[in-house]
């Protein structure tokens, strides 16, 4: 079955997007990426350590098959995020950005007003903007109106592993959006990713759930299967929920009756 | 020559180009992005972009993130 995942005209094989942070080692990250089947990974933009020569992350990512999505993590203002996006574009040679404008240190919830503003500016500059946002349909609509190429509502706070906290909002966001909806953050285990996809999300983005698992490579494979299963279940059309039982076996011909 | 490099004051042999500065710092130009006084410099321009006294330079690369 052909079911391409297309963002801004670019088709991806996998609906699972994974991060590159917090792995026990670069080698484990590379193996997890392979197991995940992802063909897009997020990266952060940070100052080079001038005092010592460090191994490059890019030595462990096959950029001929994996698309790099630079983020603006840890930016707290639209200006910081815009500046970081411009640097990411130059470092990565693509005009895509996972836009984050954080509004609160403890929850890492976005500053949605600044996020919409930064989206508007970057879209005008020709960026393909994928904003990380909260699970608010109104904000998602504003982001789409500002030209976002996808909207990326959180399932739960970044790194929390709490799963999809507000499934109905994700469903509403999917129903109203013309651009892809990617659930970004909050996944803890495979069933969370499956739930996101069953709700109709077009993709799922995660980092900690894989990188922080006891066996990141096994979890990466679990997530790959969960995203595929959830997508298939969504397309297959689930049965309605009912309060009482409906027998699966015939009621006639029961022995001795 | 005094410059501010990634937020720290630093003396570099000057005058020099951005390309020469990266070479001096043993940094592979293909793996970084550079901002000079808050404006991103295209990689193709490193050879002919002079670094001047008191310039504020940011050199970034990709690291692991989500």
């Amino acid at each position: 079955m052909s079911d391409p995942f297309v963002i801004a005209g670019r088709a991806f094989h996998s609906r699972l997007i994974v991060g590159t942070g917090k792995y026990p080692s670069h080698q484990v990250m590379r193996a997890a990426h392979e197991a995940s089947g992802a063909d897009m990974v997020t990266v952060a933009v940070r100052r080079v350590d001038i005092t010592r020569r460090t191994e490059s992350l890019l030595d462990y990512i096959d950029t001929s098959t994996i698309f790099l999505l630079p983020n603006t993590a840890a930016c707290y203002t639209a200006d910081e995020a815009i500046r970081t996006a411009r640097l990411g574009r130059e470092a990565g040679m693509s005009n895509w950005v996972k836009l984050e404008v954080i509004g609160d240190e403890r929850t890492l919830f976005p500053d949605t007003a600044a996020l919409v503003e930064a989206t508007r500016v970057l879209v005008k500059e020709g960026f393909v903007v994928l904003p990380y946002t909260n699970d608010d349909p109104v904000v998602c609509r504003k982001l789409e109106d500002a030209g976002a190429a996808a909207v990326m509502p959180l399932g739960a706070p970044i790194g929390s592993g709490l799963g999809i906290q507000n499934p109905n909002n994700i469903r509403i966001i999917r129903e109203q959006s013309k651009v892809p909806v990617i659930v970004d953050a909050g996944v803890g285990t495979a069933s969370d990713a499956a739930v996101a996809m069953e709700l109709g999300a077009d993709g799922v983005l995660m980092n900690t759930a894989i990188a922080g698992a006891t066996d990141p490579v096994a979890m990466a494979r679990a997530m790959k299967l969960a995203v595929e299963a959830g997508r298939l279940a969504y397309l297959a059309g689930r049965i309605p929920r009912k309060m009482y039982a409906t027998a699966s076996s015939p009621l006639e011909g029961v022995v001795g009756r | 020559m005094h410059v501010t490099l990634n937020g720290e004051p630093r003396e570099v042999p000057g005058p020099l180009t951005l390309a020469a500065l990266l070479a001096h710092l043993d940094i592979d130009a293909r793996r970084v992005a550079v901002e000079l006084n808050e404006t991103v410099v295209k990689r193709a321009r490193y050879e002919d972009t002079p670094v001047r006294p008191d310039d504020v330079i940011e050199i970034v690369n990709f690291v692991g993130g989500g």
Side-chain angles (χ1 to χ4, degrees):
Chain A
M1 181 180 59
S2 175
D3 180 29
F5 180 33
V6 179
I7 307 169
R10 188 184 178 104
F12 294 91
H13 296 294
S14 174
R15 290 174 179 273
L16 173 59
I17 304 165
V18 298
T20 55
K22 303 202 284 192
Y23 285 90
S25 69
H26 284 329
Q27 287 79 3
V28 171
M29 177 192 78
R30 181 162 58 192
H33 283 174
E34 209 174 299
S36 76
D39 49 359
M40 173 154 48
V41 303
T42 56
V43 291
V45 177
R46 289 291 180 271
R47 284 172 167 166
V48 170
D49 186 349
I50 292 162
T51 60
R52 62 197 178 96
R53 222 182 148 77
T54 50
E55 240 184 354
S56 173
L57 176 75
L58 296 183
D59 289 334
Y60 294 88
I61 301 171
D62 178 2
T63 51
S64 69
T65 56
I66 296 180
F67 185 74
L68 294 180
L69 180 63
N71 71 26
T72 64
C75 291
Y76 277 80
T77 64
D79 282 347
E80 274 178 10
I82 291 164
R83 199 173 159 191
T84 303
R86 289 173 183 152
L87 281 165
R89 173 165 65 178
E90 188 55 29
M93 307 309 281
S94 102
N95 56 353
W96 288 46
V97 62
K98 170 182 163 176
L99 185 63
E100 295 183 44
V101 185
I102 302 301
D104 178 66
E105 269 178 50
R106 283 187 78 196
T107 59
L108 297 178
F109 284 147
D111 177 337
T112 54
L115 182 67
V116 172
E117 176 55 25
T119 299
R120 200 170 283 128
V121 170
L122 289 169
V123 166
K124 278 203 189 105
E125 290 185 18
F127 279 87
V128 172
V129 180
L130 284 62
Y132 153 76
T133 184
N134 57 10
D135 53 5
D136 179 342
V138 176
V139 173
C140 285
R141 190 165 57 213
K142 287 182 181 179
L143 290 166
E144 189 173 344
D145 289 346
V151 290
M152 304 209 294
L154 52 82
I158 294 172
S160 69
L162 288 172
I164 314 303
Q165 295 292 287
N166 207 336
N168 198 46
N169 279 22
I170 301 296
R171 211 180 279 127
I172 293 168
I173 291 164
R174 175 56 283 165
E175 189 190 79
Q176 73 173 25
S177 302
K178 291 182 194 72
V179 294
V181 175
I182 299 164
V183 169
D184 176 8
V187 166
T189 187
S191 54
D192 299 332
V195 165
M197 296 307 291
E198 286 171 14
L199 290 168
D202 299 279
V204 179
L205 195 165
M206 66 181 75
N207 187 350
T208 308
I210 293 175
T214 306
D215 183 344
V217 180
M219 188 58 90
R221 178 163 156 71
M223 292 300 184
K224 172 192 161 79
L225 297 172
V227 167
E228 287 175 6
R231 178 66 181 173
L232 274 174
Y234 172 71
L235 295 176
R238 59 153 299 151
I239 60 164
R241 288 182 168 85
K242 281 184 281 192
M243 206 163 162
Y244 295 104
T246 315
S248 304
S249 306
L251 299 175
E252 305 78 33
V254 177
V255 172
R257 196 174 289 168
Chain B
M1 173 171 88
H2 171 85
V3 296
T4 302
L5 190 56
N6 284 359
E8 302 285 338
R10 193 172 173 115
E11 292 300 318
V12 296
L16 79 177
T17 63
L18 214 42
L21 174 67
L22 292 173
H24 171 71
L25 296 168
D26 196 21
I27 290 171
D28 183 349
R30 294 166 303 175
R31 291 265 168 103
V32 297
V34 180
E35 203 185 59
L36 185 61
N37 303 319
E38 298 200 13
T39 302
V40 174
V41 182
K42 294 255 173 241
R43 195 167 293 147
R45 311 296 311 190
Y46 292 172
E47 290 286 350
D48 52 23
T49 301
V51 178
R52 299 194 167 85
D54 299 321
D55 274 350
V56 178
I57 304 154
E58 295 282 346
I59 306 173
V60 301
N61 62 355
F62 288 143
V63 301

